[in-house]
Amino acid sequence: MSGGIASWGTYLPYWRLQRAAIAGVLGSGGGRGTRAVASHDEDTTTLGVEAGRRALAAGPGAGPVRDLFFSTPDPGYLDKTSATTVHAALGLGRACGAYDFAGSSRSATGALLQALGAATGSGRATTLAVLSDLRTGLAGSAEERDSGDGAAALVCAPDGAVAELVGRGAASDEFLDRWRVPGETDSHVWEERFGEELYVPLAREAFAAALKDAGLAEGDVDHAIVTGLHVRAVKAVTKGLGVREGALAPDLTSSVGNLGAAQAAVALCDVLERGQPGQVIAVLSLADGADALILRTTQALPGALEARALAGVPSVADQVAAGRDDLPYATFLTWRGQMHREPPRRPDPERPGAPTVHRSEAWKYAFAASRCQVCGFRHMPPTRACLSCHSIDQMQPERLADVPGTVATFTIDHLAFSLSPPVVGVIVDFDGGGRYRCEMTDVVASELSIGDRVTMTFRRVWTAQGVHNYFWKARPAVGRAPDEERGA
């Protein structure tokens, strides 16, 4: 069996902003189509967790993940590793390393190459590359209009690969195209013609080097992906790529926007979900230079696609179609911190204490309950004493992050602190036992009903004094739960 990409997962937020809504308020800056928008309680860490959960849900069973590489240009923390939060939320083992790849979107390619190298090199270890981005831009800017939010995760394993890396090429040059200094929230962009003049030859060099490394020609490419934040350069490179007709991958930017660091990986996942064994995929990414990867799909791809379907893992196309596109522009600006609205008449939230959070790490991040080994009663949150049979220290940890449930009852709170009021509180009955009261997200309060099916999602509850308070919320289930589909 060959090594390479063995499993994958993507996450596109539920909300979409109609580009026409921007012009409807500002009088300019709009356009056609929609862009994906992370909710008020999402950041690049939570986006990455959701993609990682899906990548691991139908994984190849190649053993525990030894290293996690998390790449984003917009990390939740600077002087703290965000990858450890992703690691904890995914419930990975204590022996798994967790490392950040920050900086520009080119770091995403570096993270994937690191993961592939660890899986196929002498170490032959299973690794996970998580690539996430959340892009905003000033109100009315092209960045705001054309960008989007999303994440992708790729499990790389020494055996059972669905796609092998057969060639790569790179071209680097130092020039000022896009930049943002520490403390700034929005990027600056130089004049477009300058960037195009530099990117096009770099892309040609990288692509030619990758084909030579793979021993292939342009006509051998079945699927070609060209991504980058420099729109004009991407169009010019795509036009002159030289691949055969019909090989260009579908353009997702009209429906979800340009996902920055996650764009190339999401496009690659979309191609894998449409692909066949033995096909050649070229991925060309423009970011402070150019990187080209040549991959070949294997006979393991159909089995992986079947496993994903059985596990209920949504495809890129499923998520594009499921997005809700009636997000008001004022709400978008509020979520992005560009419109400061009157807060509720309640005390501001306080930052969580580090010792308290660490003591409850398994519950807070991995959403691990406890089940009594004597009577089978499930406790949420976990406890040492059974509420049913009163046994002491007879508990078995049980992760419930991927277990669906049903809304038993709910309440709508118009006074609690939230960037997106009202707050919807629900009591969820989980399949297999266990009841818990939590907040619900990605829901319109008037559309919620008792008996609705829900799944859990990792979110940022609030930020206080520079500390992010992460926990799990419920969200409406899309379609039927995987267990129901299997007849369980």
Side-chain angles (χ1 to χ4, degrees), residues 24-64:
V25 174
L26 301 181
S28 62
R32 297 179 179 179
T34 59
R35 58 155 291 169
V37 177
S39 185
H40 69 99
D41 53 2
E42 294 184 295
D43 60 13
T44 53
T45 299
T46 67
L47 298 178
V49 169
E50 295 303 303
R53 292 172 65 193
R54 293 170 177 180
L56 297 171

Side-chain angles (χ1 to χ4, degrees), residues 104-381:
S104 79
S105 58
R106 193 176 194 184
S107 296
T109 303
L112 177 56
L113 288 172
Q114 182 73 17
L116 285 167
T120 58
S122 59
R124 293 182 58 79
T126 300
T127 57
L128 176 63
V130 179
L131 321 171
S132 178
D133 209 347
L134 190 156
R135 311 199 66 84
T136 301
L138 294 173
S141 67
E143 180 93 349
E144 177 191 60
R145 177 195 66 213
D146 297 333
S147 296
D149 310 325
L154 300 161
V155 176
C156 300
D159 299 298
V162 300
E164 305 170 300
L165 180 66
V166 295
R168 59 163 296 215
S172 299
D173 192 8
E174 164 56 26
F175 59 96
L176 194 64
D177 166 48
R178 171 183 296 273
W179 71 97
R180 173 167 54 90
V181 299
E184 290 186 321
T185 57
D186 302 292
S187 298
H188 308 275
V189 181
W190 204 262
E191 199 274 326
E192 284 191 328
R193 286 181 299 175
F194 173 70
E196 181 183 3
E197 291 173 358
L198 294 175
Y199 271 125
V200 171
L202 289 169
R204 290 172 179 167
E205 291 174 29
F207 188 47
L211 289 173
K212 182 178 179 180
D213 190 37
L216 299 172
E218 294 173 343
D220 297 322
V221 175
D222 297 293
H223 302 279
I225 300 166
V226 183
T227 65
L229 289 170
H230 197 295
V231 177
R232 186 163 165 170
V234 168
K235 289 181 178 180
V237 170
T238 302
K239 185 177 180 180
L241 205 56
V243 297
R244 61 177 181 233
E245 187 177 356
L248 291 176
D251 185 5
L252 302 174
T253 57
S254 63
S255 55
V256 298
N258 192 316
L259 308 179
Q263 181 74 5
V266 170
L268 172 60
C269 294
D270 183 50
V271 167
L272 290 175
E273 289 160 2
R274 305 170 187 268
Q276 300 292 330
Q279 292 184 326
V280 174
I281 305 172
V283 182
L284 183 56
S285 176
L286 312 182
D288 297 312
D291 293 280
L293 308 180
I294 308 295
L295 302 108
R296 180 180 284 113
T297 57
T298 73
Q299 295 300 320
L301 180 58
L305 292 172
E306 182 179 355
R308 290 170 59 83
L310 289 173
V313 179
S315 66
V316 174
D318 291 337
Q319 296 176 75
V320 170
R324 181 160 183 159
D325 62 1
D326 59 352
L327 181 70
Y329 185 50
T331 300
F332 169 79
L333 293 176
T334 302
W335 289 357
R336 289 299 187 265
Q338 296 193 31
M339 179 181 290
H340 300 284
R341 300 167 72 169
E342 178 72 12
R345 304 298 185 182
R346 289 291 184 272
D348 291 338
E350 297 182 359
R351 71 179 183 188
T356 303
V357 170
H358 187 263
R359 283 194 297 267
S360 60
E361 178 181 345
W363 165 248
K364 182 173 176 59
Y365 292 102
F367 204 59
S370 60
R371 185 183 287 277
C372 179
Q373 295 178 292
V374 177
C375 69
F377 190 85
R378 183 185 275 169
H379 299 78
M380 304 178 67

Side-chain angles (χ1 to χ4, degrees), residues 362-417:
W363 165 248
K364 182 173 176 59
Y365 292 102
F367 204 59
S370 60
R371 185 183 287 277
C372 179
Q373 295 178 292
V374 177
C375 69
F377 190 85
R378 183 185 275 169
H379 299 78
M380 304 178 67
T383 182
R384 293 177 56 194
C386 179
L387 298 176
S388 178
C389 71
H390 309 297
S391 298
I392 304 296
D393 291 335
Q394 299 294 317
M395 298 294 172
Q396 177 69 33
E398 190 171 1
R399 178 179 166 89
L400 298 185
D402 301 316
V403 176
T406 303
V407 175
T409 187
F410 65 93
T411 184
I412 301 173
D413 190 338
H414 292 270
L415 298 178
F417 176 84

